[in-house]
């Protein structure tokens, strides 16, 4: 994860790296999330570098580690459909992407949640 505490992986269909892991001690913890797409790296002198792979991005981050004003341009992203599973594979909810926001389209649980998770959320 390096000094930033971020792990990246390739997102081949986008030809962009995505955030794959984030340690709690990272300076960016709470500001970025796993799955966000890295669009580019802006260097302190204003030069913008687009990276098409995680390896390329990591190499560039290492090369520019001493530049205090570098910035990552990140795109918030969610998958088109996701299923959340908890406690030995029990399905809790199914969500879909609605205008780049996850929306619950179905929920089922053998446990009582008092209606905390329901379609439309």
């Amino acid at each position: 994860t390096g000094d930033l505490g971020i792990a990246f992986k390739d997102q081949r269909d986008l030809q962009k790296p995505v955030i794959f892991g984030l340690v709690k001690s990272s300076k960016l913890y709470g500001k970025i999330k796993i799955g966000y797409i890295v669009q580019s790296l802006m260097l302190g002198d204003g030069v913008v570098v687009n990276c098409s792979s995680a390896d390329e991005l990591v190499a560039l981050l290492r090369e520019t580690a001493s530049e205090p004003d570098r910035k990552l341009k990140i795109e918030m992203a969610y998958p088109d459909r996701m299923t959340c599973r908890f406690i030995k594979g029990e399905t809790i909810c199914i969500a879909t992407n609605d205008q780049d926001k996850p929306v619950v389209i179905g929920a089922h649980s053998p446990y009582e949640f008092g209606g905390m998770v329901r379609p439309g959320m």
Side-chain angles (χ1 to χ4, degrees), residues 4-5 18 35 37 52 54 56-57 62 65-66 76 78 82-84 90 98 102 111:
L4 289 177
V18 298
I37 303 164
S52 60
E56 183 182 357
L57 176 61
R62 286 186 178 137
S66 62
M76 297 170 72
Y78 301 98
M82 64 185 126
T83 301
C84 304
E90 296 292 341
D98 183 7
Y111 310 101

Side-chain angles (χ1 to χ4, degrees), residues 78-79 81-96 102-111 113 117-118 121:
Y78 301 98
R81 186 174 178 97
M82 64 185 126
T83 301
C84 304
R85 297 187 185 278
F86 304 97
I87 309 171
K88 295 184 181 179
E90 296 292 341
T91 300
I92 301 298
C93 65
I94 299 171
T96 189
V103 176
V104 175
I105 59 172
H108 167 74
S109 174
Y111 310 101
F113 284 98
V117 177
R118 61 187 176 275
M121 295 180 82

Side-chain angles (χ1 to χ4, degrees), residues 7-8 19 22 31-33 36 45 49 68 80-81 84 88 90 95 110:
F8 303 97
I19 296 171
L22 183 66
K31 297 178 183 178
I32 61 174
K33 299 193 183 304
Y36 285 9
D45 60 3
V49 181
D80 288 336
R81 186 174 178 97
C84 304
K88 295 184 181 179
E90 296 292 341

Side-chain angles (χ1 to χ4, degrees), residues 53-67:
S53 75
D55 289 342
E56 183 182 357
L57 176 61
V58 169
L60 187 58
L61 287 170
R62 286 186 178 137
E63 288 174 25
T64 61
S66 62
E67 291 194 32

